[in-house]
């Protein structure tokens, strides 16, 4: 589905299945972490607190 | 004086400043060294002898007139081949980028040149700074990986083919190869060194940084490249960069700063899978830090640390997929197997999972700020062991990636050798923008143990 929408070739790399199995586990574990909706996504971290 | 190519960057700079060595003499000795050993080490993607000679000649003439370009006046450097160089091919270790000649220098490159460094050439990188290996070999054992992705930079330094180098780290690509090759690498705080002109692997995880043979040499390069850059907004509104060399050279202050430093030893993760020789070297390194007057305390990592490392991988894969989407659409078959799998998996990660991963990053940064309220530095092994045998992989970044995820600074310094003669590294992590704290401790440790003084027999 994703590849069709983005006009990408199907995932055919010889390591894709193995990598996807690992990635899927990561998605499940990350989704299971309770996170408050007040938590801003980090993005590129800007670590300065303005107190130099 | 030792052979010029054997001098550390600091020692070479001192010889040049004293008029006992010219930039041209140093470069010629370095090029001769490269000529003799490069076919075995294969650290360089391309050497620009002509351009380098031109620059060294200009610096030599400048020196004769009584002027110096800067602290790196005449020091030969290598640049990982994802750093853009004006007029010089930057192929990122990829067939896809072959022949690409940038019109401008990366900010870090321009700043090195401004400080007087002589660009010898571009060092090999794994493909697009990911995991498909480059031709580079480990100078300590040519049938072992030098690590990655800054493979050529680490190998060139260990083999004494340059005095300093640039690398970049998204997971473990500065500290891992530096440790495997027995040199020093600094992954600065995110936002400390501009990413402008550095081909991205994953925008929010990429950290350009210096590599060299000694901690002071790394500090010299760091001083040259750190600081705000309008072309990279993440470097703006950050604290003023430290004068790291001055901090190291103030011996009394440096010694006082190390004495009583609180060094945290993580309760888990950083020793999972550590091999016995690595574990012995790590224990010995902690003892040496204690001998320097540091207080060693175990610290408990946050409960979400394991999930944070999963989050790192999701962010890495999604951003890598986004970086390469347009090229992958038409040239998927030209990617190496490892990067292709990362890109393909990245396309399939649901967007909410990426956002959740970035939220976990926020929480982990705050939790680790709390952990590092109780200690000044974290000390860990730099890798689960020495450089693995074989050239098909580049070893594991597992102990380095937490600092890439957090954006906190980390440095690796040699901490021993295996019975087989391969280097091992000690990794020191610090609070955001406190590079000087970890550099001072690394320098004190380096001075006390002298592990970094050994050179591979080539």
């Amino acid at each position: 589905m994703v590849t069709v929408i983005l006009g990408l070739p199907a995932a055919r790399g010889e390591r894709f299945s193995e990598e996807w199995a690992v990635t899927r586990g990561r998605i499940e574990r990350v989704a299971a972490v309770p996170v408050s909706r007040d938590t801003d996504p980090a993005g590129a971290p800007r670590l300065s607190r303005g107190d130099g | 004086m030792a052979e010029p190519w054997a001098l550390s960057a600091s020692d070479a700079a001192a010889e040049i400043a004293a008029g006992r060595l010219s930039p041209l003499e140093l470069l010629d000795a370095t090029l001769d060294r490269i000529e003799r050993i490069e076919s075995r080490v294969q650290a360089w993607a391309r050497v620009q002898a002509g351009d380098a000679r031109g620059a060294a000649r200009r610096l030599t003439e400048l020196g004769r007139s009584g002027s110096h370009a800067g602290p790196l006046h005449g020091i030969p450097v290598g640049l990982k081949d994802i750093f853009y160089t004006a007029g010089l091919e930057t192929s990122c270790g990829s067939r896809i980028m072959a022949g690409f000649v940038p019109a401008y220098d990366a900010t870090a490159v321009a700043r090195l040149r401004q400080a007087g460094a002589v660009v010898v050439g571009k060092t090999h990188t794994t493909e697009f700074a990911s995991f498909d290996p480059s031709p580079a070999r480990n100078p300590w054992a040519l049938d072992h990986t030098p690590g990655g992705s800054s493979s050529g930079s680490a190998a060139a330094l260990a083999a004494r083919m340059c005095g300093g180098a640039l690398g970049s780290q998204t997971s473990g690509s500065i500290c891992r190869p530096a440790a495997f090759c027995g040199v020093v690498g600094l992954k600065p705080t995110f936002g400390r060194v501009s990413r402008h002109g550095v081909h991205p692997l994953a925008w929010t995880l990429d950290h350009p940084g210096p590599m060299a043979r000694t901690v002071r040499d790394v500090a010299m390069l760091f001083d040259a490249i750190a600081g705000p850059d309008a072309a990279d907004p993440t470097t703006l509104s950050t604290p003023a960069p430290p004068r790291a060399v001055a901090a190291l050279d103030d011996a009394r202050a440096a010694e006082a700063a190390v004495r009583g430093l609180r060094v945290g030893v993580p309760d888990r993760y950083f020793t999972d899978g550590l091999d016995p020789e690595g574990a012995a070297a790590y224990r010995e390194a902690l003892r040496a830090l204690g001998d320097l007057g540091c207080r060693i305390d175990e610290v408990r990592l946050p409960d979400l640390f394991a999930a944070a490392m999963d989050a790192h991988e999701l962010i890495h894969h999604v951003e890598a997929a986004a970086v390469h989407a347009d090229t992958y659409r038409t040239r998927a078959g030209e990617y190496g197997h490892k990067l292709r799998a990362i890109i393909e998996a990245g396309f399939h990660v649901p967007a909410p999972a990426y956002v959740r991963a970035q939220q976990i990053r926020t929480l982990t940064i705050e939790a680790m700020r709390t952990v590092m309220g109780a200690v000044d530095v974290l000390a860990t092994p730099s890798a689960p062991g020495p450089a693995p045998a074989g050239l098909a992989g580049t070893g594991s970044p597992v102990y380095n990636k937490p600092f890439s995820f957090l954006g906190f600074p980390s440095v690796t310094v040699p901490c021993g050798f295996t019975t087989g003669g391969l280097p091992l590294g000690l990794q020191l992590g610090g609070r955001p923008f406190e590079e000087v704290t970890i550099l001072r401790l690394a320098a004190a440790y380096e001075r006390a143990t002298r592990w970094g003084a050994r050179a591979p027999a080539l």
Side-chain angles (χ1 to χ4, degrees), chain B residues 311-358:
Chain B
H312 173 96
E313 296 298 330
L314 294 185
I315 295 167
H316 173 273
H317 285 36
V318 169
E319 293 187 8
V323 166
H324 290 283
D326 294 339
T327 319
Y328 174 85
R329 188 172 287 120
T330 53
R331 304 179 73 173
E334 294 177 61
Y335 283 95
H337 297 305
K338 294 176 185 177
L339 179 55
R340 182 169 179 178
I342 287 168
I343 293 169
E344 290 178 342
F347 284 134
H348 289 80
V349 175
Y354 174 82
V355 174
R356 175 61 57 95
Q358 290 283 15

Side-chain angles (χ1 to χ4, degrees), chain A residues 6 19 29 33 39-40 42, chain B residues 310 317 329 356 358-359 362:
Chain A
L6 295 178
E19 190 67 34
R29 289 191 294 276
V33 176
T39 305
D40 279 333
Chain B
D310 286 324
H317 285 36
R329 188 172 287 120
R356 175 61 57 95
Q358 290 283 15
Q359 287 177 302
T362 298

Side-chain angles (χ1 to χ4, degrees), chain B residues 132-311:
Chain B
D132 296 284
S134 80
R137 294 162 178 266
N138 192 313
W140 294 91
L142 296 170
D143 55 350
H144 286 239
T145 176
S149 60
S150 309
S151 323
S153 290
L157 287 163
R160 276 59 178 165
M161 293 194 279
C162 57
L166 291 182
S168 67
Q169 178 162 316
T170 305
S171 294
S173 290
I174 289 175
C175 289
R176 169 163 108 267
F180 285 173
C181 291
V183 298
V184 181
L186 171 68
K187 184 205 78 67
T189 308
F190 191 92
R192 190 60 111 178
V193 175
S194 173
R195 297 163 304 155
H196 176 64
V198 184
H199 194 286
L201 173 55
W203 296 280
T204 74
L205 296 167
D206 291 342
H207 298 70
M211 303 167 75
R213 298 220 315 271
T214 72
V215 176
R216 191 181 186 282
D217 291 358
V218 156
M220 284 171 72
L221 270 70
F222 176 63
D223 279 349
I225 64 176
D229 174 21
D232 180 351
T234 65
T235 63
L236 303 175
S237 66
T238 56
R243 294 176 60 232
V245 170
L248 295 182
D249 285 353
D250 184 342
R252 192 174 299 173
E255 194 187 325
V258 166
R259 210 177 310 116
L261 209 60
R262 298 166 302 170
V263 174
V265 175
D267 62 340
R268 62 189 193 282
Y269 183 85
F270 288 96
T271 46
D272 295 351
L274 180 59
D275 84 355
E277 287 194 283
Y282 177 47
R283 279 194 301 274
E284 185 58 27
L286 294 177
R287 196 193 58 72
L289 295 179
D291 289 346
L292 289 168
C294 299
R295 205 180 82 194
I296 315 292
D297 289 318
E298 184 174 285
V299 293
R300 186 174 144 68
L301 295 176
D303 290 341
L304 80 172
F305 201 82
M309 295 304 97
D310 286 324

Side-chain angles (χ1 to χ4, degrees), chain B residues 88-101:
Chain B
L88 175 57
E89 184 180 351
T90 301
S91 59
C92 303
S94 164
R95 282 195 279 166
I96 291 167
M97 295 285 283
F100 169 63
V101 180

